[in-house]
Amino acid sequence: MWKNNMKNFLYFLLIVYFSPMFGNAQIMDIFQNKEYEYATYIVEAKSDKEYAPSKFEIYQDKNKEENKNWQNIENQLEKVASQQIENEVSFFQLHTKAVNYLKQLDALKRLENPYHEESNFHPGLKGIEIKLVSVVNNRGVYYIQYNFDNVNVKYYYLADFQQNKVTELNKIPNLNQQERLRKLTLSRLTALYLLQTKKLEVNHVERIRATQSGEENLPDFSNRVDYSEAMVYPYFSGLMIEFPAQSKSSGIFENKAFRVLVTGMERNELLDVFPEFKPIFKQNIQEPAQAIIKLLNDDANYDLSRFSNAPKELQLLESLSFSPTDRKIFSLTIINYQKSDTIKSFLGAKKFFFDKNANILRIEERNDRNEIAREEKYAYNEKNQLTDIRFLGFGNKLQIQNYDNDLLSYVETIEVNDYRTAYGTEFRDLKIYEQHFAFNSNYRYALEFNVVGDFDRNRTIQSRYFEKNKYCTYHFCLLTHDNGQVFAVKKKIGSPIDILLNANNQPIESYVDNNRYHYKFTYDDNDRIKSFTSISDGKNANFVEYEYHNNLQKPLTITDTKTSHSTTIMIQEYEISFWDD
């Protein structure tokens, strides 16, 4: 047992040196349409406590702006972390949690390996992390993580930058709150549990949807989820409900953390029992008019790659000039060859199947043996909205689109990988990501996060906005005339780009990275692309030629010649079939 020494103390040595290996990151407050850049700094700390290491490091996320409000909060969080170690009672509470987590981790490892050796149940403190999770309406959510041997203990805090106040968010939800959490999340968690335990497969799309919505009558597994462990905090446009790693509930996901984000009406329903968060959402986001939403959702308006890449595949269908009397396209097959001298070698093919509304139904990819190597299957609802995509071939993957008032709310991607340990135990690696969308004024935001496992620190909020004659993202703005003609690109991040377009808003030339990369486009009398040239450091790297045929079934041949190292000639032949009326 460690001895209590009242003269012992903790102090920080030198602040602060920036570690470039953590780089820069950005986080968005979508309620304020405000973006913050932060970086991870390292504080070296020394301790005279007998129960703590003599030297360890604190990794802390800090705003890169000279912002006194943020600096005050950051100093408070650093003080909270130091006091947790300096106070012996607090430290041993942390240590007890770490020991309990290690015991749970040992139990899981024994399932994988019956010969697993027991962990050291006197884990030492290795370091501390203070991480910024989100900013919502000028309030920040942070967690402080205390890293022990193989496990960590994490506490969440809400920071009010204007009021200079830090509040701990680790209270156990009361029974009323737990019941509301259960009501809003149990169906979605049931679907995750059934996927994890192989009672549901990713090709059971209808059953997955029915389970998520609570329509399918399934055995109650709520006893596997302890809602007293739920952590609730503001995140993106709603409230995140998270069950921490190594908690009792995390056993259903091999001791990994898992989470559910509730937005819209569900968020408001949860606020009824979490009134402490109501002031944060008092000023709600302002959904723009439908015309603005349409502009923000049109990816073509924000496509910078069109100035440096040749159009391919479905982009070219618009230029094939089918008349209104032509039948609707049933399939498009793109056959790939490699040419050597006069010999064409078949490399494979990609085939698109369409319904009579011109929606893609299936994409089929074949290898050089003409065998199906990969498929994508698309489904739509009665409103002609895409509902799901099933990916077959490379992994077992499903993507589900979810709508709120006919507007895409979030996309859920589910991927499973079944494997067997060296000792014969079967496990399933379940990867689930959600990409959520939100609109505020003339902005659109998209955020992707992982549902199971610790948060991926590389996640970012993608933003785009529209102003008069400007289509902008975090990285660039496309500047247009009143008629929509693009006349310039304003880069915020990365190398400069100059463009020249014709009267039809088609690129003719573009220069990237101080003219290091040069791209040329030519067009025929029907405004169809005729050639694309890529020049790198003054040398031709790529030349693509488009040959159009007066043949509805075989309208196009593309020859792509790459000369950057050795000369390689690739040929694509388009073949089209039509629906029978």
Side-chain angles (χ1 to χ4, degrees):
M1 171 143 338
W2 288 290
K3 296 179 181 178
N4 183 21
N5 186 340
M6 297 303 293
K7 294 182 180 180
N8 290 342
F9 63 95
L10 175 82
Y11 63 93
F12 291 128
L13 176 74
L14 288 178
I15 246 180
V16 157
Y17 63 90
F18 174 64
S19 176
M21 65 180 172
F22 294 103
N24 303 321
Q26 51 100 0
I27 199 162
M28 307 289 297
D29 183 346
I30 69 171
F31 286 78
Q32 301 287 326
N33 287 333
K34 172 72 174 171
E35 176 187 301
Y36 301 94
E37 283 195 4
Y38 67 92
T40 302
Y41 292 77
I42 301 177
V43 179
E44 189 173 274
K46 286 186 176 181
S47 170
D48 242 2
K49 297 288 186 180
E50 293 184 6
Y51 53 76
S54 61
K55 185 185 294 186
F56 58 92
E57 292 178 330
I58 298 177
Y59 296 79
Q60 183 170 8
D61 290 345
K62 294 191 174 187
N63 190 349
K64 295 183 68 178
E65 294 179 11
E66 291 294 327
N67 188 314
K68 189 171 181 61
N69 291 340
W70 280 65
Q71 290 170 354
N72 289 336
I73 292 295
E74 289 160 359
N75 291 338
Q76 287 185 57
L77 291 166
E78 188 180 303
K79 187 176 180 180
V80 168
S82 65
Q83 289 177 342
Q84 196 79 11
I85 306 302
E86 187 175 356
N87 184 294
E88 187 169 346
V89 173
S90 298
F91 178 83
F92 281 105
Q93 289 173 341
L94 287 175
H95 189 267
T96 299
K97 283 191 174 184
V99 170
N100 291 335
Y101 289 165
L102 275 172
K103 290 178 179 178
Q104 289 178 241
L105 187 61
D106 268 12
L108 175 64
K109 288 185 175 180
R110 278 192 293 272
L111 289 175
E112 298 179 355
N113 175 9
Y115 304 105
H116 168 71
E117 294 184 6
E118 191 174 81
S119 298
N120 171 25
F121 292 135
H122 295 286
L125 179 70
K126 299 301 182 184
I128 299 173
E129 299 177 37
I130 304 174
K131 297 299 182 183
L132 176 62
V133 178
S134 70
V135 181
V136 179
N137 228 346
N138 213 25
R139 279 84 160 181
V141 175
Y142 293 82
Y143 69 72
I144 302 179
Q145 180 171 293
Y146 303 87
N147 296 320
F148 291 85
D149 297 336
N150 299 324
V151 293
N152 59 69
V153 180
K154 186 184 295 185
Y155 291 118
Y156 281 82
Y157 298 86
L158 180 66
D160 189 325
F161 297 111
Q162 292 299 322
Q163 300 298 322
N164 190 27
K165 182 179 179 182
V166 173
T167 306
E168 189 173 340
L169 291 178
N170 303 293
K171 296 178 181 177
I172 295 175
N174 61 41
L175 293 179
N176 189 27
Q177 291 171 330
Q178 291 182 42
E179 186 56 39
R180 189 66 56 88
L181 290 169
R182 184 191 312 271
K183 173 178 179 281
L184 293 174
T185 66
L186 186 59
S187 295
R188 288 169 68 175
L189 294 179
T190 299
L192 295 183
Y193 172 73
L194 294 177
L195 285 162
Q196 178 67 57
T197 55
K198 304 183 183 181
K199 296 178 176 66
L200 265 181
E201 298 296 344
V202 293
N203 59 327
H204 299 159
V205 184
E206 291 74 18
R207 281 198 63 207
I208 292 173
R209 280 194 176 278
T211 303
Q212 290 175 333
S213 64
E215 295 174 7
E216 184 154 334
N217 188 16
L218 296 164
D220 184 10
F221 99 112
S222 58
N223 62 323
R224 303 292 302 272
V225 181
D226 185 351
Y227 280 92
S228 70
E229 299 176 321
M231 175 62 56
V232 181
Y233 54 85
Y235 190 81
F236 193 55
S237 64
L239 290 171
M240 184 67 82
I241 303 159
E242 181 168 308
F243 296 84
Q246 286 96 36
S247 62
K248 288 182 286 186
S249 302
S250 71
I252 61 178
F253 297 114
E254 301 174 4
N255 278 4
K256 297 175 184 176
F258 59 97
R259 55 195 60 86
V260 176
L261 178 64
V262 295
T263 59
M265 296 304 295
E266 288 186 337
R267 180 202 70 189
N268 295 337
E269 189 175 343
L270 195 58
L271 287 174
D272 288 341
V273 294
F274 285 90
E276 63 268 33
F277 296 132
K278 279 189 174 181
I280 299 175
F281 297 98
K282 186 176 181 180
Q283 176 189 331
N284 210 341
I285 53 180
Q286 302 298 314
E287 187 172 295
Q290 287 298 316
I292 300 297
I293 290 177
K294 186 175 181 181
L295 290 173
L296 290 168
N297 279 337
D298 189 346
D299 293 336
N301 292 331
Y302 301 86
D303 180 17
L304 200 61
S305 68
R306 58 179 147 153
F307 305 118
S308 57
N309 288 286
K312 293 182 179 179
E313 296 184 347
L314 298 183
Q315 291 177 312
L316 290 162
L317 274 181
E318 297 179 5
S319 64
L320 294 181
S321 302
F322 298 114
S323 70
T325 58
D326 292 329
R327 291 169 293 170
K328 297 182 183 296
I329 296 177
F330 173 78
S331 69
L332 164 65
T333 305
I334 303 172
I335 308 170
N336 299 301
Y337 300 94
Q338 182 170 343
K339 186 177 180 181
S340 178
D341 294 327
T342 59
I343 300 173
K344 287 197 314 183
S345 301
F346 176 73
L347 295 181
K350 191 171 185 179
K351 191 169 185 176
F352 300 83
F353 296 87
F354 303 88
D355 64 17
K356 292 186 176 182
N357 293 316
N359 295 315
I360 298 173
L361 291 178
R362 191 167 92 249
I363 300 176
E364 176 185 286
E365 294 186 27
R366 293 181 176 268
N367 58 25
D368 57 1
R369 298 185 298 276
N370 206 26
E371 301 166 337
I372 295 179
R374 186 174 180 271
E375 278 188 288
E376 297 176 13
K377 294 184 177 181
Y378 295 71
Y380 303 84
N381 60 21
E382 66 280 356
K383 296 180 180 179
N384 216 30
Q385 295 170 321
L386 178 66
T387 57
D388 58 82
I389 308 173
R390 310 178 201 194
F391 300 85
L392 308 171
F394 302 137
N396 212 349
K397 185 176 172 183
L398 169 69
Q399 198 174 84
I400 299 176
Q401 278 73 19
N402 297 275
Y403 296 87
D404 185 10
N405 292 327
D406 292 334
L407 195 61
L408 185 62
S409 174
Y410 70 98
V411 178
E412 184 177 22
T413 302
I414 304 169
E415 190 168 3
V416 298
N417 177 35
D418 296 327
Y419 65 95
R420 187 187 299 268
T421 69
Y423 299 94
T425 307
E426 292 184 354
F427 280 91
R428 165 165 285 187
D429 182 23
L430 177 65
K431 294 180 181 178
I432 300 183
Y433 294 87
E434 289 183 2
Q435 185 181 37
H436 285 252
F437 299 90
F439 297 85
N440 188 16
S441 184
N442 56 335
Y443 282 75
R444 192 195 83 167
Y445 299 98
L447 168 70
E448 182 176 275
F449 62 87
N450 52 313
V451 174
V452 177
D454 288 337
F455 261 139
D456 179 0
R457 290 291 295 169
N458 294 321
R459 70 194 187 282
T460 56
I461 298 177
Q462 302 295 328
S463 64
R464 58 173 62 168
Y465 65 91
F466 169 75
E467 291 180 354
K468 180 176 172 57
N469 297 344
K470 289 172 64 175
Y471 295 90
C472 299
T473 72
Y474 174 70
H475 299 283
F476 64 85
C477 284
L478 293 177
L479 310 181
T480 71
H481 295 296
D482 289 341
N483 61 1
Q485 174 87 10
V486 177
F487 68 86
V489 178
K490 180 181 178 182
K491 294 292 291 290
K492 302 178 184 178
I493 294 177
S495 59
I497 177 171
D498 293 320
I499 60 170
L500 175 66
L501 291 90
N502 63 21
N504 296 315
N505 218 14
Q506 296 170 310
I508 298 174
E509 287 189 80
S510 62
Y511 301 84
V512 182
D513 193 9
N514 294 315
N515 299 343
R516 182 182 176 189
Y517 302 103
H518 181 194
Y519 306 98
K520 295 181 179 180
F521 303 78
T522 66
Y523 303 90
D524 64 14
D525 294 338
N526 295 315
D527 298 324
R528 302 176 300 188
I529 186 166
K530 187 176 179 181
S531 69
F532 166 80
T533 306
S534 172
I535 301 171
S536 177
D537 293 325
K539 298 179 181 178
N540 285 342
N542 191 201
F543 179 73
V544 186
E545 188 174 21
Y546 298 79
E547 183 181 358
Y548 300 92
H549 312 293
N550 189 23
N551 185 329
L552 285 177
Q553 281 72 37
K554 296 182 179 182
L556 176 63
T557 300
I558 303 172
T559 303
D560 186 347
T561 304
K562 292 180 171 62
T563 57
S564 55
H565 298 291
S566 59
T567 300
T568 303
I569 301 175
M570 311 294 292
I571 296 175
Q572 290 186 328
E573 295 180 354
Y574 276 50
E575 293 186 358
I576 295 178
S577 64
F578 298 88
W579 281 93
D580 293 327
D581 293 332

